[in-house]
Amino acid sequence: MEHDVGTALPPAPHAALDEPAASARDGFDDVPLLSSRFARSPVEGGTGLSVVEIDRGRVLLRVPLGPGTLDSTGRVSTLVTSVAVDTALGIAVHTFTSTRSGGPTVELRVDHHARPAAGASCLLVEGVGVHEDRTCGVGHVSVRDDLGTLIAHAAGTMVVDPLPIGQHRGIWKDFTGVPKLDLTALPPGLDGTTTSTDPTELRLPLSPSIANLRGDVHGGMVMAIAHAAQARLAAAHPAPCRPLTTTVDYLRPVPLSGELTCRSTVVRDGRRFRTVRTELVRDDGKIAATATGTVVVLPND
């Protein structure tokens, strides 16, 4: 069955992509292998994410609209959106760049749009690589439901880490016995609970259920944690709101130990829009990421 995922940027011409590359990408271009790897992983497996197709510099992912996928307002949860766009960005960039190697996210911006249409059964997430240089690659991601509604759009930058051919499999972690992320029963912190009584602070115990394939906290989960921290602060305001844009700058990896402390500050509190900046701090005191989120303030009914 073919799905219309809307208009997307085509992969830019790139001479280096004409060379043989199957072994260099070591599974990035193998749909069954990559889907199997995601099915076993805690985060992608927990969201039900699978790979539909991969071309050079383009990937199409599918995420079912199942229990826990939507929030209380009927919108796709920011966690699911964040994980889907970060994963699509990574694959699109790493199959587009001439080295075809994996690396961490540098920056990710997501614009949130509409609710899924009535009767939609899944999300179709299309990532496209659009630029590279020696150190990084850039990509765009669109998220639509299977009826064509645009849910979100994202743009981001990934590090390009050149690895020797055949090295990719050696860096993937074995998640045998690790529980998958449960969207219907999120861990403390992500579910809004925290040991802190301060609405500007959220403390999140770190566990393997939010790991990426390298064994650090998944880049999409870092954005989801920032969302949770900012939602906690928003709950202290009387007016309801909905996410508009979120940008995360990833400064260093987050190892799966201890807890992550999120400290949020309101930098704009207008009648129509509110902007919050959040620092995500590791146990060693180093800032792992900064997130800036803008929401639309809704009128009280």
PDB file of all heavy atoms in Angstrom, residues 9-46:
ATOM      1  N   LEU A   9      11.370  17.763   0.560  1.00  0.00           N
ATOM      2  CA  LEU A   9      12.556  18.129  -0.190  1.00  0.00           C
ATOM      3  C   LEU A   9      13.228  16.877  -0.717  1.00  0.00           C
ATOM      4  O   LEU A   9      13.465  15.929   0.032  1.00  0.00           O
ATOM      5  CB  LEU A   9      13.534  18.891   0.712  1.00  0.00           C
ATOM      6  CG  LEU A   9      13.094  20.275   1.153  1.00  0.00           C
ATOM      7  CD1 LEU A   9      14.069  20.801   2.195  1.00  0.00           C
ATOM      8  CD2 LEU A   9      13.043  21.224  -0.033  1.00  0.00           C
ATOM      9  N   PRO A  10      13.560  16.811  -2.009  1.00  0.00           N
ATOM     10  CA  PRO A  10      14.247  15.636  -2.534  1.00  0.00           C
ATOM     11  C   PRO A  10      15.700  15.648  -2.099  1.00  0.00           C
ATOM     12  O   PRO A  10      16.259  16.705  -1.782  1.00  0.00           O
ATOM     13  CB  PRO A  10      14.138  15.825  -4.058  1.00  0.00           C
ATOM     14  CG  PRO A  10      14.061  17.310  -4.236  1.00  0.00           C
ATOM     15  CD  PRO A  10      13.297  17.834  -3.035  1.00  0.00           C
ATOM     16  N   PRO A  11      16.331  14.473  -2.049  1.00  0.00           N
ATOM     17  CA  PRO A  11      17.753  14.446  -1.714  1.00  0.00           C
ATOM     18  C   PRO A  11      18.547  15.293  -2.705  1.00  0.00           C
ATOM     19  O   PRO A  11      18.334  15.225  -3.913  1.00  0.00           O
ATOM     20  CB  PRO A  11      18.121  12.959  -1.833  1.00  0.00           C
ATOM     21  CG  PRO A  11      16.818  12.232  -1.687  1.00  0.00           C
ATOM     22  CD  PRO A  11      15.782  13.142  -2.268  1.00  0.00           C
ATOM     23  N   ALA A  12      19.444  16.116  -2.186  1.00  0.00           N
ATOM     24  CA  ALA A  12      20.252  16.958  -3.058  1.00  0.00           C
ATOM     25  C   ALA A  12      21.258  16.098  -3.824  1.00  0.00           C
ATOM     26  O   ALA A  12      21.709  15.067  -3.329  1.00  0.00           O
ATOM     27  CB  ALA A  12      20.992  18.007  -2.223  1.00  0.00           C
ATOM     28  N   PRO A  13      21.637  16.492  -5.049  1.00  0.00           N
ATOM     29  CA  PRO A  13      22.648  15.739  -5.784  1.00  0.00           C
ATOM     30  C   PRO A  13      23.941  15.669  -4.993  1.00  0.00           C
ATOM     31  O   PRO A  13      24.369  16.644  -4.390  1.00  0.00           O
ATOM     32  CB  PRO A  13      22.825  16.564  -7.081  1.00  0.00           C
ATOM     33  CG  PRO A  13      21.572  17.373  -7.201  1.00  0.00           C
ATOM     34  CD  PRO A  13      21.136  17.661  -5.786  1.00  0.00           C
ATOM     35  N   HIS A  14      24.576  14.515  -5.031  1.00  0.00           N
ATOM     36  CA  HIS A  14      25.798  14.345  -4.248  1.00  0.00           C
ATOM     37  C   HIS A  14      26.655  13.292  -4.932  1.00  0.00           C
ATOM     38  O   HIS A  14      26.293  12.115  -4.978  1.00  0.00           O
ATOM     39  CB  HIS A  14      25.464  13.912  -2.831  1.00  0.00           C
ATOM     40  CG  HIS A  14      26.592  14.153  -1.874  1.00  0.00           C
ATOM     41  ND1 HIS A  14      27.817  13.571  -1.988  1.00  0.00           N
ATOM     42  CD2 HIS A  14      26.678  14.962  -0.794  1.00  0.00           C
ATOM     43  CE1 HIS A  14      28.603  13.972  -1.014  1.00  0.00           C
ATOM     44  NE2 HIS A  14      27.939  14.821  -0.278  1.00  0.00           N
ATOM     45  N   ALA A  15      27.786  13.707  -5.465  1.00  0.00           N
ATOM     46  CA  ALA A  15      28.611  12.794  -6.240  1.00  0.00           C
ATOM     47  C   ALA A  15      29.056  11.597  -5.433  1.00  0.00           C
ATOM     48  O   ALA A  15      29.137  10.479  -5.935  1.00  0.00           O
ATOM     49  CB  ALA A  15      29.833  13.548  -6.784  1.00  0.00           C
ATOM     50  N   ALA A  16      29.370  11.820  -4.149  1.00  0.00           N
ATOM     51  CA  ALA A  16      29.897  10.725  -3.331  1.00  0.00           C
ATOM     52  C   ALA A  16      28.878   9.626  -3.114  1.00  0.00           C
ATOM     53  O   ALA A  16      29.233   8.502  -2.785  1.00  0.00           O
ATOM     54  CB  ALA A  16      30.362  11.263  -1.983  1.00  0.00           C
ATOM     55  N   LEU A  17      27.593   9.917  -3.304  1.00  0.00           N
ATOM     56  CA  LEU A  17      26.574   8.906  -3.069  1.00  0.00           C
ATOM     57  C   LEU A  17      26.504   7.900  -4.200  1.00  0.00           C
ATOM     58  O   LEU A  17      25.754   6.933  -4.124  1.00  0.00           O
ATOM     59  CB  LEU A  17      25.209   9.571  -2.888  1.00  0.00           C
ATOM     60  CG  LEU A  17      25.094  10.467  -1.659  1.00  0.00           C
ATOM     61  CD1 LEU A  17      23.672  11.000  -1.541  1.00  0.00           C
ATOM     62  CD2 LEU A  17      25.468   9.714  -0.403  1.00  0.00           C
ATOM     63  N   ASP A  18      27.277   8.078  -5.279  1.00  0.00           N
ATOM     64  CA  ASP A  18      27.265   7.124  -6.367  1.00  0.00           C
ATOM     65  C   ASP A  18      28.172   5.923  -6.098  1.00  0.00           C
ATOM     66  O   ASP A  18      28.145   4.950  -6.837  1.00  0.00           O
ATOM     67  CB  ASP A  18      27.731   7.809  -7.669  1.00  0.00           C
ATOM     68  CG  ASP A  18      26.729   8.842  -8.135  1.00  0.00           C
ATOM     69  OD1 ASP A  18      25.543   8.678  -7.814  1.00  0.00           O
ATOM     70  OD2 ASP A  18      27.148   9.804  -8.800  1.00  0.00           O
ATOM     71  N   GLU A  19      28.965   5.973  -5.053  1.00  0.00           N
ATOM     72  CA  GLU A  19      29.880   4.882  -4.762  1.00  0.00           C
ATOM     73  C   GLU A  19      29.147   3.754  -4.047  1.00  0.00           C
ATOM     74  O   GLU A  19      28.117   3.956  -3.421  1.00  0.00           O
ATOM     75  CB  GLU A  19      31.025   5.390  -3.885  1.00  0.00           C
ATOM     76  CG  GLU A  19      30.559   5.844  -2.507  1.00  0.00           C
ATOM     77  CD  GLU A  19      31.649   6.536  -1.734  1.00  0.00           C
ATOM     78  OE1 GLU A  19      32.631   6.971  -2.350  1.00  0.00           O
ATOM     79  OE2 GLU A  19      31.509   6.643  -0.521  1.00  0.00           O
ATOM     80  N   PRO A  20      29.634   2.514  -4.121  1.00  0.00           N
ATOM     81  CA  PRO A  20      29.021   1.413  -3.376  1.00  0.00           C
ATOM     82  C   PRO A  20      29.072   1.713  -1.889  1.00  0.00           C
ATOM     83  O   PRO A  20      30.065   2.198  -1.375  1.00  0.00           O
ATOM     84  CB  PRO A  20      29.909   0.211  -3.739  1.00  0.00           C
ATOM     85  CG  PRO A  20      30.571   0.585  -5.018  1.00  0.00           C
ATOM     86  CD  PRO A  20      30.761   2.074  -4.954  1.00  0.00           C
ATOM     87  N   ALA A  21      27.966   1.410  -1.185  1.00  0.00           N
ATOM     88  CA  ALA A  21      27.926   1.866   0.205  1.00  0.00           C
ATOM     89  C   ALA A  21      27.225   0.938   1.164  1.00  0.00           C
ATOM     90  O   ALA A  21      27.088   1.253   2.319  1.00  0.00           O
ATOM     91  CB  ALA A  21      27.246   3.217   0.260  1.00  0.00           C
ATOM     92  N   ALA A  22      26.760  -0.216   0.734  1.00  0.00           N
ATOM     93  CA  ALA A  22      25.951  -1.052   1.616  1.00  0.00           C
ATOM     94  C   ALA A  22      26.696  -1.427   2.887  1.00  0.00           C
ATOM     95  O   ALA A  22      26.164  -1.344   3.984  1.00  0.00           O
ATOM     96  CB  ALA A  22      25.515  -2.306   0.874  1.00  0.00           C
ATOM     97  N   SER A  23      27.967  -1.841   2.768  1.00  0.00           N
ATOM     98  CA  SER A  23      28.687  -2.253   3.961  1.00  0.00           C
ATOM     99  C   SER A  23      29.079  -1.057   4.818  1.00  0.00           C
ATOM    100  O   SER A  23      29.148  -1.172   6.042  1.00  0.00           O
ATOM    101  CB  SER A  23      29.943  -3.037   3.580  1.00  0.00           C
ATOM    102  OG  SER A  23      30.798  -2.238   2.786  1.00  0.00           O
ATOM    103  N   ALA A  24      29.321   0.102   4.203  1.00  0.00           N
ATOM    104  CA  ALA A  24      29.726   1.282   4.965  1.00  0.00           C
ATOM    105  C   ALA A  24      28.622   1.727   5.905  1.00  0.00           C
ATOM    106  O   ALA A  24      28.873   2.178   7.007  1.00  0.00           O
ATOM    107  CB  ALA A  24      30.105   2.423   4.019  1.00  0.00           C
ATOM    108  N   ARG A  25      27.383   1.609   5.460  1.00  0.00           N
ATOM    109  CA  ARG A  25      26.287   2.029   6.327  1.00  0.00           C
ATOM    110  C   ARG A  25      25.924   0.922   7.306  1.00  0.00           C
ATOM    111  O   ARG A  25      25.263   1.174   8.299  1.00  0.00           O
ATOM    112  CB  ARG A  25      25.097   2.472   5.483  1.00  0.00           C
ATOM    113  CG  ARG A  25      25.318   3.844   4.874  1.00  0.00           C
ATOM    114  CD  ARG A  25      24.147   4.275   4.061  1.00  0.00           C
ATOM    115  NE  ARG A  25      24.157   3.586   2.770  1.00  0.00           N
ATOM    116  CZ  ARG A  25      23.233   3.786   1.836  1.00  0.00           C
ATOM    117  NH1 ARG A  25      22.251   4.622   2.059  1.00  0.00           N
ATOM    118  NH2 ARG A  25      23.291   3.154   0.705  1.00  0.00           N
ATOM    119  N   ASP A  26      26.326  -0.292   7.015  1.00  0.00           N
ATOM    120  CA  ASP A  26      26.245  -1.402   7.966  1.00  0.00           C
ATOM    121  C   ASP A  26      24.886  -1.518   8.639  1.00  0.00           C
ATOM    122  O   ASP A  26      24.764  -1.557   9.851  1.00  0.00           O
ATOM    123  CB  ASP A  26      27.332  -1.242   9.036  1.00  0.00           C
ATOM    124  CG  ASP A  26      27.600  -2.575   9.745  1.00  0.00           C
ATOM    125  OD1 ASP A  26      27.196  -3.614   9.219  1.00  0.00           O
ATOM    126  OD2 ASP A  26      28.201  -2.533  10.822  1.00  0.00           O
ATOM    127  N   GLY A  27      23.830  -1.550   7.844  1.00  0.00           N
ATOM    128  CA  GLY A  27      22.500  -1.742   8.405  1.00  0.00           C
ATOM    129  C   GLY A  27      21.612  -0.530   8.309  1.00  0.00           C
ATOM    130  O   GLY A  27      20.397  -0.656   8.417  1.00  0.00           O
ATOM    131  N   PHE A  28      22.179   0.663   8.082  1.00  0.00           N
ATOM    132  CA  PHE A  28      21.349   1.865   7.975  1.00  0.00           C
ATOM    133  C   PHE A  28      20.440   1.802   6.754  1.00  0.00           C
ATOM    134  O   PHE A  28      19.419   2.471   6.701  1.00  0.00           O
ATOM    135  CB  PHE A  28      22.211   3.128   7.904  1.00  0.00           C
ATOM    136  CG  PHE A  28      22.499   3.737   9.244  1.00  0.00           C
ATOM    137  CD1 PHE A  28      23.795   3.871   9.699  1.00  0.00           C
ATOM    138  CD2 PHE A  28      21.471   4.193  10.044  1.00  0.00           C
ATOM    139  CE1 PHE A  28      24.070   4.448  10.933  1.00  0.00           C
ATOM    140  CE2 PHE A  28      21.727   4.773  11.283  1.00  0.00           C
ATOM    141  CZ  PHE A  28      23.035   4.891  11.721  1.00  0.00           C
ATOM    142  N   ASP A  29      20.823   1.041   5.719  1.00  0.00           N
ATOM    143  CA  ASP A  29      20.002   0.978   4.513  1.00  0.00           C
ATOM    144  C   ASP A  29      19.284  -0.361   4.391  1.00  0.00           C
ATOM    145  O   ASP A  29      18.741  -0.677   3.336  1.00  0.00           O
ATOM    146  CB  ASP A  29      20.863   1.248   3.273  1.00  0.00           C
ATOM    147  CG  ASP A  29      22.026   0.270   3.152  1.00  0.00           C
ATOM    148  OD1 ASP A  29      22.265  -0.487   4.110  1.00  0.00           O
ATOM    149  OD2 ASP A  29      22.695   0.276   2.103  1.00  0.00           O
ATOM    150  N   ASP A  30      19.270  -1.153   5.424  1.00  0.00           N
ATOM    151  CA  ASP A  30      18.631  -2.467   5.427  1.00  0.00           C
ATOM    152  C   ASP A  30      17.339  -2.365   6.227  1.00  0.00           C
ATOM    153  O   ASP A  30      17.357  -2.336   7.458  1.00  0.00           O
ATOM    154  CB  ASP A  30      19.590  -3.492   6.056  1.00  0.00           C
ATOM    155  CG  ASP A  30      19.078  -4.917   5.961  1.00  0.00           C
ATOM    156  OD1 ASP A  30      17.853  -5.114   6.079  1.00  0.00           O
ATOM    157  OD2 ASP A  30      19.904  -5.828   5.788  1.00  0.00           O
ATOM    158  N   VAL A  31      16.193  -2.289   5.529  1.00  0.00           N
ATOM    159  CA  VAL A  31      14.920  -2.043   6.206  1.00  0.00           C
ATOM    160  C   VAL A  31      14.584  -3.121   7.233  1.00  0.00           C
ATOM    161  O   VAL A  31      14.270  -2.809   8.388  1.00  0.00           O
ATOM    162  CB  VAL A  31      13.784  -1.873   5.173  1.00  0.00           C
ATOM    163  CG1 VAL A  31      12.422  -1.823   5.865  1.00  0.00           C
ATOM    164  CG2 VAL A  31      14.000  -0.605   4.369  1.00  0.00           C
ATOM    165  N   PRO A  32      14.618  -4.424   6.887  1.00  0.00           N
ATOM    166  CA  PRO A  32      14.288  -5.443   7.896  1.00  0.00           C
ATOM    167  C   PRO A  32      15.237  -5.435   9.091  1.00  0.00           C
ATOM    168  O   PRO A  32      14.809  -5.572  10.238  1.00  0.00           O
ATOM    169  CB  PRO A  32      14.386  -6.764   7.111  1.00  0.00           C
ATOM    170  CG  PRO A  32      14.196  -6.374   5.681  1.00  0.00           C
ATOM    171  CD  PRO A  32      14.834  -5.031   5.550  1.00  0.00           C
ATOM    172  N   LEU A  33      16.544  -5.257   8.825  1.00  0.00           N
ATOM    173  CA  LEU A  33      17.517  -5.253   9.915  1.00  0.00           C
ATOM    174  C   LEU A  33      17.291  -4.066  10.844  1.00  0.00           C
ATOM    175  O   LEU A  33      17.287  -4.209  12.071  1.00  0.00           O
ATOM    176  CB  LEU A  33      18.937  -5.211   9.348  1.00  0.00           C
ATOM    177  CG  LEU A  33      20.072  -5.095  10.385  1.00  0.00           C
ATOM    178  CD1 LEU A  33      20.076  -6.302  11.313  1.00  0.00           C
ATOM    179  CD2 LEU A  33      21.419  -4.958   9.682  1.00  0.00           C
ATOM    180  N   LEU A  34      17.078  -2.885  10.273  1.00  0.00           N
ATOM    181  CA  LEU A  34      16.905  -1.694  11.093  1.00  0.00           C
ATOM    182  C   LEU A  34      15.589  -1.757  11.869  1.00  0.00           C
ATOM    183  O   LEU A  34      15.532  -1.383  13.047  1.00  0.00           O
ATOM    184  CB  LEU A  34      16.950  -0.448  10.216  1.00  0.00           C
ATOM    185  CG  LEU A  34      17.171   0.890  10.921  1.00  0.00           C
ATOM    186  CD1 LEU A  34      18.420   0.859  11.784  1.00  0.00           C
ATOM    187  CD2 LEU A  34      17.271   2.021   9.896  1.00  0.00           C
ATOM    188  N   SER A  35      14.529  -2.239  11.238  1.00  0.00           N
ATOM    189  CA  SER A  35      13.249  -2.385  11.950  1.00  0.00           C
ATOM    190  C   SER A  35      13.376  -3.373  13.096  1.00  0.00           C
ATOM    191  O   SER A  35      12.829  -3.162  14.183  1.00  0.00           O
ATOM    192  CB  SER A  35      12.148  -2.839  10.987  1.00  0.00           C
ATOM    193  OG  SER A  35      11.749  -1.797  10.140  1.00  0.00           O
ATOM    194  N   SER A  36      14.119  -4.463  12.873  1.00  0.00           N
ATOM    195  CA  SER A  36      14.327  -5.446  13.932  1.00  0.00           C
ATOM    196  C   SER A  36      15.127  -4.855  15.083  1.00  0.00           C
ATOM    197  O   SER A  36      14.832  -5.090  16.262  1.00  0.00           O
ATOM    198  CB  SER A  36      15.060  -6.661  13.360  1.00  0.00           C
ATOM    199  OG  SER A  36      15.416  -7.578  14.370  1.00  0.00           O
ATOM    200  N   ARG A  37      16.130  -4.058  14.734  1.00  0.00           N
ATOM    201  CA  ARG A  37      16.951  -3.412  15.764  1.00  0.00           C
ATOM    202  C   ARG A  37      16.108  -2.440  16.593  1.00  0.00           C
ATOM    203  O   ARG A  37      16.195  -2.398  17.818  1.00  0.00           O
ATOM    204  CB  ARG A  37      18.107  -2.678  15.082  1.00  0.00           C
ATOM    205  CG  ARG A  37      19.122  -2.053  16.024  1.00  0.00           C
ATOM    206  CD  ARG A  37      20.232  -1.423  15.219  1.00  0.00           C
ATOM    207  NE  ARG A  37      21.121  -2.425  14.648  1.00  0.00           N
ATOM    208  CZ  ARG A  37      21.870  -2.230  13.571  1.00  0.00           C
ATOM    209  NH1 ARG A  37      21.820  -1.074  12.935  1.00  0.00           N
ATOM    210  NH2 ARG A  37      22.667  -3.179  13.129  1.00  0.00           N
ATOM    211  N   PHE A  38      15.246  -1.664  15.925  1.00  0.00           N
ATOM    212  CA  PHE A  38      14.372  -0.743  16.638  1.00  0.00           C
ATOM    213  C   PHE A  38      13.353  -1.487  17.495  1.00  0.00           C
ATOM    214  O   PHE A  38      13.014  -1.052  18.597  1.00  0.00           O
ATOM    215  CB  PHE A  38      13.646   0.171  15.646  1.00  0.00           C
ATOM    216  CG  PHE A  38      14.500   1.262  15.083  1.00  0.00           C
ATOM    217  CD1 PHE A  38      14.227   1.789  13.830  1.00  0.00           C
ATOM    218  CD2 PHE A  38      15.572   1.775  15.792  1.00  0.00           C
ATOM    219  CE1 PHE A  38      15.008   2.802  13.296  1.00  0.00           C
ATOM    220  CE2 PHE A  38      16.365   2.788  15.271  1.00  0.00           C
ATOM    221  CZ  PHE A  38      16.079   3.299  14.020  1.00  0.00           C
ATOM    222  N   ALA A  39      12.834  -2.600  16.993  1.00  0.00           N
ATOM    223  CA  ALA A  39      11.836  -3.357  17.749  1.00  0.00           C
ATOM    224  C   ALA A  39      12.405  -3.855  19.072  1.00  0.00           C
ATOM    225  O   ALA A  39      11.673  -3.992  20.062  1.00  0.00           O
ATOM    226  CB  ALA A  39      11.329  -4.530  16.918  1.00  0.00           C
ATOM    227  N   ARG A  40      13.707  -4.125  19.111  1.00  0.00           N
ATOM    228  CA  ARG A  40      14.343  -4.612  20.341  1.00  0.00           C
ATOM    229  C   ARG A  40      14.786  -3.482  21.258  1.00  0.00           C
ATOM    230  O   ARG A  40      15.109  -3.722  22.421  1.00  0.00           O
ATOM    231  CB  ARG A  40      15.552  -5.483  19.995  1.00  0.00           C
ATOM    232  CG  ARG A  40      15.218  -6.753  19.238  1.00  0.00           C
ATOM    233  CD  ARG A  40      16.408  -7.697  19.195  1.00  0.00           C
ATOM    234  NE  ARG A  40      17.596  -7.083  18.614  1.00  0.00           N
ATOM    235  CZ  ARG A  40      17.894  -7.113  17.316  1.00  0.00           C
ATOM    236  NH1 ARG A  40      17.060  -7.709  16.473  1.00  0.00           N
ATOM    237  NH2 ARG A  40      19.000  -6.549  16.856  1.00  0.00           N
ATOM    238  N   SER A  41      14.851  -2.255  20.741  1.00  0.00           N
ATOM    239  CA  SER A  41      15.364  -1.140  21.532  1.00  0.00           C
ATOM    240  C   SER A  41      14.282  -0.599  22.454  1.00  0.00           C
ATOM    241  O   SER A  41      13.094  -0.706  22.166  1.00  0.00           O
ATOM    242  CB  SER A  41      15.882  -0.041  20.606  1.00  0.00           C
ATOM    243  OG  SER A  41      14.818   0.536  19.882  1.00  0.00           O
ATOM    244  N   PRO A  42      14.658  -0.004  23.586  1.00  0.00           N
ATOM    245  CA  PRO A  42      13.667   0.445  24.572  1.00  0.00           C
ATOM    246  C   PRO A  42      12.764   1.569  24.076  1.00  0.00           C
ATOM    247  O   PRO A  42      11.551   1.521  24.281  1.00  0.00           O
ATOM    248  CB  PRO A  42      14.525   0.915  25.752  1.00  0.00           C
ATOM    249  CG  PRO A  42      15.870   0.319  25.552  1.00  0.00           C
ATOM    250  CD  PRO A  42      16.039   0.167  24.081  1.00  0.00           C
ATOM    251  N   VAL A  43      13.331   2.583  23.433  1.00  0.00           N
ATOM    252  CA  VAL A  43      12.550   3.767  23.072  1.00  0.00           C
ATOM    253  C   VAL A  43      11.768   3.544  21.779  1.00  0.00           C
ATOM    254  O   VAL A  43      10.542   3.650  21.750  1.00  0.00           O
ATOM    255  CB  VAL A  43      13.462   5.004  22.952  1.00  0.00           C
ATOM    256  CG1 VAL A  43      12.670   6.200  22.436  1.00  0.00           C
ATOM    257  CG2 VAL A  43      14.087   5.326  24.305  1.00  0.00           C
ATOM    258  N   GLU A  44      12.484   3.230  20.691  1.00  0.00           N
ATOM    259  CA  GLU A  44      11.779   2.999  19.430  1.00  0.00           C
ATOM    260  C   GLU A  44      10.815   1.822  19.550  1.00  0.00           C
ATOM    261  O   GLU A  44       9.693   1.866  19.030  1.00  0.00           O
ATOM    262  CB  GLU A  44      12.779   2.748  18.293  1.00  0.00           C
ATOM    263  CG  GLU A  44      13.586   3.969  17.893  1.00  0.00           C
ATOM    264  CD  GLU A  44      14.878   4.116  18.662  1.00  0.00           C
ATOM    265  OE1 GLU A  44      15.061   3.392  19.673  1.00  0.00           O
ATOM    266  OE2 GLU A  44      15.701   4.954  18.286  1.00  0.00           O
ATOM    267  N   GLY A  45      11.246   0.774  20.257  1.00  0.00           N
ATOM    268  CA  GLY A  45      10.356  -0.369  20.447  1.00  0.00           C
ATOM    269  C   GLY A  45       9.141  -0.017  21.274  1.00  0.00           C
ATOM    270  O   GLY A  45       8.040  -0.517  21.030  1.00  0.00           O
ATOM    271  N   GLY A  46       9.315   0.876  22.254  1.00  0.00           N
ATOM    272  CA  GLY A  46       8.196   1.286  23.094  1.00  0.00           C
ATOM    273  C   GLY A  46       7.177   2.116  22.349  1.00  0.00           C
ATOM    274  O   GLY A  46       5.977   2.076  22.668  1.00  0.00           O
TER     275      GLY A  46
END
